């Protein structure tokens, strides 16, 4: 079936990306450079150690985002090409955009921005927020809308992170509050404003198949294996980083087992739901991030992982249908269940961890890697940065409130902007389909037997 030219702004995408990459090239030529090579052996050795200790984590995170997350989004059977490609495109676009903004805000000295691996890593964390947020509107938005969404979200995220970590002093080395909670509610805000109060019916192309669920489960396994690197990369090398890796592994192992238990109990025939496995197995990694480098007993990590899996599975089973029915809130990938609910649980756990912490809970040495995301290793021993235990607990709660409130408001405004006529949201019959964006030979030569019937029914609904 031919796609009318008016349904998708075909020339807008290459124009947008071409202008962006050209402007970025000019900006880099004028303002971005590398650090001057040091002649001192000590400085050279320090740089080498930082590279060799950071780059393996960086590679793990690349595999997570490009391969793991990309495959996780392929649960829509006719949207696989788009899910993988748009995820890859948004990662590169958002990372470059964040690199520019962070360089101007924090690293612009004497007319130059000095680029290194660590700044690239921090920019990639900013891009993660976009990759999570778009899960709420996956399949119902075209690439131009996704790029505009990324353009708006990155500066808002950087501002929110600065307020939460720098101003409030929130401890969040794994990005539970600053990344997962922020991106979740930003995406839900965009979805609510973009689709307004209209009830989105179940789309014929929205139902996963066994093959698409299998590919998505492979993505979950890849994310599960590499998740400790995401949490621990910004920790101070040594005890804090070792502790973060162990806590993350324990929490994710518990969440994987608990997901099987909860999913089986919720189904009358005792069978497992692929959607529960794809998301619940990762919930422990989301929740543990905010307390990963704190001195906590192993049993606490296991308990947090199990609770996060239960919350995630219950969210898919009961909360998502309720929000769709009562609030007409569309959440295609269930980001509220994987990132929002476990994130809130982790933030609450951080408040409790601070309140029950003894004076030797955190190390006394400052982090040598980054102060961008709050690190318990940076806090003066037993003093919580001079705020006291109660003050730090209030800061943790305030950081959660700022992340939720700022992301929801910004998401609603961004979603309203995505309704501009020039962005042309695809019609219902072309949602969850690769055909408007890719030349797929097998579909063109042998369309499915139910294609015409599905499109005809959707056309009547429109």
């Amino acid at each position: 079936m031919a796609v009318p030219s008016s349904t998708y702004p075909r020339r807008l995408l290459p124009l947008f990306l071409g202008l962006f990459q050209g402007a970025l090239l000019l900006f880099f030529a004028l303002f971005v450079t590398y650090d001057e090579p040091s002649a001192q052996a000590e400085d050279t050795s320090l740089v080498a150690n930082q590279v060799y200790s950071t780059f393996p984590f960086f590679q793990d995170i690349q595999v997570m985002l490009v391969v793991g997350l990309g495959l996780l989004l392929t649960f829509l059977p006719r949207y696989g090409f788009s899910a993988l490609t748009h995820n890859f495109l948004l990662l590169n676009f958002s990372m470059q955009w964040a690199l520019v903004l962070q360089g101007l805000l924090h690293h612009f000295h004497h007319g130059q921005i000095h680029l290194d691996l660590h700044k690239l890593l921090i920019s990639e964390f900013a891009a993660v927020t976009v990759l999570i947020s778009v899960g709420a509107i996956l399949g119902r938005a075209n690439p131009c809308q996704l790029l505009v969404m990324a353009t708006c979200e990155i500066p808002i995220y950087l501002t929110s992170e600065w307020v939460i970590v720098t101003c409030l002093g929130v401890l969040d080395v794994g990005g539970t509050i600053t990344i997962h909670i922020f991106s979740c509610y930003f995406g839900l805000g965009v979805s609510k404003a973009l689709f307004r109060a209209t009830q989105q019916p179940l789309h014929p192309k929205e139902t996963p198949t066994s093959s698409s669920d299998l590919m998505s489960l492979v993505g979950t396994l890849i994310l599960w294996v590499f998740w400790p690197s995401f949490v621990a990369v910004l920790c101070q090398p040594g005890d804090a980083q070792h502790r973060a890796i162990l806590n993350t592994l324990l929490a994710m192992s518990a969440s994987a087992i608990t997901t099987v238990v909860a999913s089986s109990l919720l189904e009358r025939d005792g069978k497992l739901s692929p959607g529960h496995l794809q998301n619940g197995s990762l919930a422990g990694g989301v929740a543990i991030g905010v307390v990963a480098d704190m001195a906590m007993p192993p049993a606490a990590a296991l308990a947090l992982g199990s609770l996060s899996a239960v919350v995630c599975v219950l969210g898919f089973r009961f909360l998502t249908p309720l929000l769709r029915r009562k609030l007409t809130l569309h959440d295609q990938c269930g980001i509220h269940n994987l990132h929002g609910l476990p994130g809130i649980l982790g933030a609450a756990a951080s408040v409790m961890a601070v309140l029950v912490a003894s004076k030797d809970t955190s190390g006394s040495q400052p982090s040598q890697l980054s102060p961008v995301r709050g690190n318990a290793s940076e806090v003066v021993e037993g003093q919580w940065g001079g705020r006291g235990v109660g003050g730090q607990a209030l800061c943790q709660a305030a950081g959660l409130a700022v992340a939720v409130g700022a992301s929801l408001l910004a998401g609603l405004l961004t979603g309203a902007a995505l309704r501009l006529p020039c962005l042309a949201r695809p019609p219902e019959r072309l949602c969850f389909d690769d055909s408007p964006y890719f030349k797929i030979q097998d579909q063109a030569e042998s369309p499915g037997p139910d294609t015409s019937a599905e499109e005809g029914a959707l056309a009547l609904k429109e």
Side-chain angles (χ1 to χ4, degrees):
M1 180 177 178
V3 180
S5 58
S6 60
T7 61
Y8 174 62
R10 300 179 183 278
R11 303 302 179 192
L12 188 57
L13 179 63
L15 178 64
F16 186 96
L17 289 176
L19 290 176
F20 168 80
Q21 199 63 66
L24 200 74
L25 178 62
L26 180 61
F27 178 85
F28 267 60
L30 294 176
F31 302 110
V32 180
T33 184
Y34 296 118
D35 288 328
E36 294 293 334
S38 175
Q40 297 183 7
E42 294 181 358
D43 293 341
T44 303
S45 177
L46 178 62
V47 172
N49 290 335
Q50 289 179 346
V51 171
Y52 294 142
S53 63
T54 304
F55 190 65
F57 288 105
F58 183 82
Q59 285 182 307
D60 291 349
I61 295 170
Q62 289 282 86
V63 175
M64 283 181 63
L65 302 181
V66 176
V67 185
L69 184 57
L71 289 177
L72 181 65
L73 300 178
T74 60
F75 64 95
L76 297 171
R78 299 182 61 177
Y79 199 70
F81 282 101
S82 300
L84 280 167
T85 305
H86 294 165
N87 179 75
F88 186 51
L89 173 64
L90 286 170
L91 172 62
N92 287 278
F93 176 86
S94 303
M95 182 266 294
Q96 294 186 46
W97 178 225
L99 201 61
V100 170
L101 293 179
Q102 284 196 342
L104 291 175
L105 293 174
H106 303 297
H107 310 295
F108 194 75
H109 303 293
H110 307 293
Q112 293 288 323
I113 298 173
H114 293 272
L115 186 63
D116 57 25
L117 180 61
H118 177 62
K119 295 183 179 68
L120 196 64
L121 175 65
I122 297 302
S123 299
E124 195 147 287
F125 279 128
V128 173
T129 61
V130 177
L131 303 185
I132 295 173
S133 296
V134 298
I137 58 174
L138 186 72
R140 293 187 183 270
N142 63 49
C144 291
Q145 289 178 306
L146 300 181
L147 290 172
V148 171
M149 178 178 171
T151 304
C152 298
E153 183 171 4
I154 292 297
I156 299 169
Y157 161 75
L158 294 176
T159 304
S160 171
E161 185 194 44
W162 177 78
V163 171
I164 293 172
V165 175
T166 304
C167 298
L168 295 178
V170 172
L171 304 176
D172 185 22
V173 71
T176 299
I177 298 174
T178 54
I179 293 179
H180 293 286
I181 291 179
F182 175 88
S183 57
C184 168
Y185 290 100
F186 184 92
L188 294 180
V190 170
S191 176
K192 182 62 178 177
L194 181 59
F195 305 121
R196 291 186 178 175
T198 57
Q199 182 72 39
Q200 297 295 331
L202 184 65
H203 199 286
K205 304 172 187 175
E206 193 175 352
T207 304
T209 63
S210 58
S211 59
S212 65
D213 266 336
L214 180 61
M215 290 295 292
S216 183
L217 188 57
V218 172
T220 296
L221 298 179
I222 294 173
L223 287 169
W224 192 96
V225 169
F226 291 107
W227 202 288
S229 294
F230 181 86
V231 173
V233 64
L234 292 183
C235 292
Q236 177 188 359
D239 290 340
Q241 197 167 69
H242 184 221
R243 192 161 54 237
I245 293 173
L246 292 177
N247 284 333
T248 304
L249 285 171
L250 289 175
M252 298 197 69
S253 180
S255 66
I257 293 178
T258 307
T259 297
V260 175
V261 175
S263 180
S264 180
L265 291 177
L266 286 175
E267 299 296 332
R268 293 182 179 179
D269 53 5
K271 296 181 179 180
L272 302 178
S273 167
H276 295 166
L277 294 176
Q278 293 157 7
N279 295 272
S281 303
L282 303 174
V286 174
I288 197 67
V290 68
V291 294
D293 61 339
M294 296 182 184
M296 53 189 295
L302 289 171
L304 186 57
S306 295
L307 285 174
S308 62
V310 171
V311 167
C312 179
V313 173
L314 290 177
F316 273 101
R317 185 67 174 83
F318 300 108
L319 188 57
T320 295
L322 180 65
L323 293 178
R324 182 187 287 261
R325 185 172 63 253
K326 298 296 185 180
L327 300 181
T328 61
L329 183 61
H330 179 79
D331 182 8
Q332 185 61 46
C333 293
I335 61 174
H336 189 227
N337 306 315
L338 175 55
H339 302 278
L341 297 179
I344 293 175
L345 181 64
S350 73
V351 175
M352 295 179 60
V354 169
L355 290 176
V356 302
S358 60
K359 290 186 177 182
D360 59 351
T361 295
S362 55
S364 59
Q365 298 299 320
S367 172
Q368 298 179 7
L369 189 56
S370 171
V372 174
R373 295 212 305 250
N375 192 328
S377 303
E378 297 172 340
V379 182
V380 177
E381 183 174 358
Q383 298 300 318
W384 301 104
R387 290 181 292 272
V389 172
Q392 184 61 44
L394 288 176
C395 287
Q396 297 295 118
L400 172 62
V402 169
V404 174
S407 58
L408 267 178
L409 178 60
L412 289 170
L413 295 175
T414 302
L418 297 185
R419 296 183 62 87
L420 292 174
C422 62
L423 296 177
R425 185 167 68 88
E428 192 68 16
R429 68 180 183 277
L430 296 179
C431 291
F432 310 110
D433 202 320
D434 290 323
S435 59
Y437 317 112
F438 289 89
K439 293 182 65 176
I440 304 175
Q441 298 299 328
D442 57 346
Q443 287 187 6
E445 295 170 0
S446 56
D450 298 329
T451 301
S452 60
E454 292 175 357
E455 292 180 347
L458 290 170
L460 289 175
K461 287 182 181 180
E462 293 178 15

